[in-house]
Amino acid sequence: MTNTLGERRAERGWTQQELADRVGVSRQTIISLENGRYNPSIVLAFRLARTFRVAIEDVFHYDEGEANDGTHR
Amino acid sequence: MEHTVDLLGRRIRQGWVLLGLGALLLAGGIALSALLPGGPSNFKWVEGFGIWLLGWGSIHQARYLLAARDPSAARRAINEDLDERNIAISRQAGHVAFVVTILAAGSALIVHSAMTRGSPYDALWWFLAAAVVVPSAVYVVAQFFLRNRQ
């Protein structure tokens, strides 16, 4: 799964800590999400998308061929 | 904000409980050693457990009492506690620790059985057997209930 979190955050001029505070997670989780090392739960994915006021598909992209081996890569 | 204040208050109360239990065990261990010199057991483990709880409680309290002074720090401390990635990592670490504990207890049981030439009629053998069987049974039962709940 890929995402556009970093780009969307940069567009708004938010720091990773500011985004973390807005969605109620740690800054380290935002770093892991942006680096693609961690795939969020569906609830967190919705919270992030709503924070940016876009649809979830506009932030997270799932590649069909991707193996589903849990939330961690 | 109210949610954060409630959770922070609960964490601080938990910290006081840890410190209180630690102090109680440390004092109890010292008292037992003094009252029962050469008694049936060495009570240093009670003192050690108390010191461990005091250390844990001190770190816990330092973190949450400092966070309580600043609303944004309080919110970040609670966010870290409730962070789904942190929770997932803790669960994975707990699972690894569980497997290692079962393997260690099982190995100790095998070694003890070999050293006592297979005689299962001593307290340590039963204790080690329980240390393997009880957590394994809890694991199976917990799996059953959790699978039915979700």
Side-chain angles (χ1 to χ4, degrees):
Chain A
M1 195 154 76
T2 56
N3 68 71
T4 58
L5 277 181
E7 294 92 318
R8 291 188 180 276
R9 181 176 61 74
E11 278 170 14
R12 284 160 178 78
W14 296 343
T15 64
Q16 289 171 327
Q17 185 65 65
E18 282 172 335
L19 178 58
D21 291 344
R22 283 170 190 266
V23 293
V25 297
S26 67
R27 179 171 160 266
Q28 191 57 49
T29 292
I30 298 297
I31 294 170
S32 294
L33 284 165
E34 288 186 3
N35 290 340
R37 290 200 309 265
Y38 177 67
N39 290 332
S41 69
I42 193 73
V43 174
L44 179 55
F46 269 112
R47 282 215 307 266
L48 285 159
R50 284 181 184 172
T51 300
F52 291 120
R53 298 180 190 283
V54 293
I56 198 166
E57 299 91 337
D58 295 333
V59 183
F60 295 98
H61 311 118
Y62 177 67
D63 301 324
E64 280 300 323
E66 200 173 354
N68 183 8
D69 58 353
T71 56
H72 289 276
R73 282 199 191 168
Chain B
M1 188 64 204
E2 197 176 332
H3 182 61
T4 301
V5 172
D6 286 350
L7 278 172
L8 194 66
R10 192 187 306 169
R11 294 286 185 268
I12 290 171
R13 284 195 296 278
Q14 286 168 346
W16 289 127
V17 170
L18 286 173
L19 287 173
L21 276 175
L24 205 65
L25 283 173
L26 179 59
I30 292 169
L32 283 169
S33 296
L35 292 171
L36 300 168
S41 175
N42 182 341
F43 296 106
K44 286 286 178 197
W45 69 270
V46 181
E47 288 176 49
F49 193 43
I51 291 168
W52 180 72
L53 280 178
L54 281 174
W56 181 16
S58 300
I59 293 167
H60 181 101
Q61 284 306 69
R63 180 178 178 216
Y64 291 107
L65 286 175
L66 281 175
R69 293 179 177 180
D70 173 15
S72 65
R75 198 176 61 235
R76 282 174 192 168
I78 294 303
N79 283 349
E80 283 192 17
D81 276 8
L82 302 177
D83 183 283
E84 65 173 40
R85 180 174 156 277
N86 286 346
I87 292 170
I89 289 169
S90 294
R91 286 178 179 170
Q92 285 180 359
H95 184 76
V96 171
F98 169 77
V99 171
V100 169
T101 302
I102 290 291
L103 288 175
S107 302
L109 179 61
I110 291 166
V111 169
H112 180 68
S113 294
M115 287 173 71
T116 55
R117 300 187 179 188
S119 170
Y121 302 108
D122 64 296
L124 183 57
W125 190 92
W126 286 104
F127 177 82
L128 289 171
V132 175
V133 172
V134 173
S136 303
V138 169
Y139 182 83
V140 171
V141 171
Q143 286 262 350
F144 175 78
F145 280 106
L146 291 171
R147 280 169 199 263
N148 282 328
R149 203 175 68 179
Q150 292 182 13

